[in-house]
Amino acid sequence: MPGVIAALQYATAVTFLVIGLAAYRYGAAGQRAAETAVTRQGFSVEILSRHRVRIEESLAELMLPLGISVVLATLATLNLTAPYIGRIATWIIHPILLIAGGFITAGQVFTVRFVEAEFRKSQDPDARAVDVRDVINAASAVFPVWLRPMIVTRFVLVTLGSALILLLTAG
């Protein structure tokens, strides 16, 4: 089973690496597209920052997915080369990944729903009037077409993959 566990961990690591780099590379263009969509709807671009909608990713923010990728690749390597240590580390890392990572990646899979819900709850009448789907679609259009399936794949690996890894590790 260490081979299956390691394969899932390497696959998850790759998704964090690739998505992080794509977000960093295309995020500024996505931010401009979202701002253009909001302006086209007749609202100020500040509405996005007031409601913490940010597409652009800084170099510092890129470090989190890259760090997670390194941790997962290291964990996979440990599961192949030092199974006892890898197993212990897996029991520490994957529950955290399953809960925290699952919540964060769900927000990326269901972005429109999450942002629409936040805007609907706002006391700001302009926020409630924004066509969130249009804004998110405009931002998404500047990213590569393969990014969306990769985001969904990462969500599945972080949630179901982590659960499977924990089951396999327990066996």
Side-chain angles (χ1 to χ4, degrees), residues 11-104:
T12 308
V14 167
T15 64
F16 274 96
L17 174 68
V18 171
I19 292 169
L21 291 172
Y24 181 71
R25 165 68 177 84
Y26 296 96
Q31 185 70 36
R32 287 190 301 276
E35 290 169 355
T36 300
V38 165
T39 303
R40 189 175 53 245
Q41 292 179 32
F43 303 105
S44 167
V45 297
E46 285 78 33
I47 199 164
L48 295 174
S49 60
R50 278 198 317 266
H51 296 282
R52 297 183 308 269
V53 175
R54 196 162 159 273
I55 314 303
E56 189 171 14
E57 188 161 300
S58 71
L59 187 56
E61 291 165 324
L62 173 61
M63 293 303 118
L64 180 62
L66 295 184
I68 292 169
S69 181
V70 167
V71 167
L72 287 169
T74 302
L75 189 56
T77 302
L78 283 172
N79 275 305
L80 292 174
T81 60
Y84 179 74
I85 295 169
R87 184 180 204 152
I88 292 168
T90 295
W91 274 106
I92 294 168
I93 300 295
H94 274 280
I96 296 167
L97 185 64
L98 177 62
I99 295 167
F103 178 73
I104 292 166

Side-chain angles (χ1 to χ4, degrees), residues 33-34 36-41 112 116 130-141:
T36 300
V38 165
T39 303
R40 189 175 53 245
Q41 292 179 32
V112 172
E116 280 178 338
V130 170
D131 180 352
V132 170
R133 184 171 302 279
D134 178 59
V135 173
I136 300 300
N137 285 343
S140 297

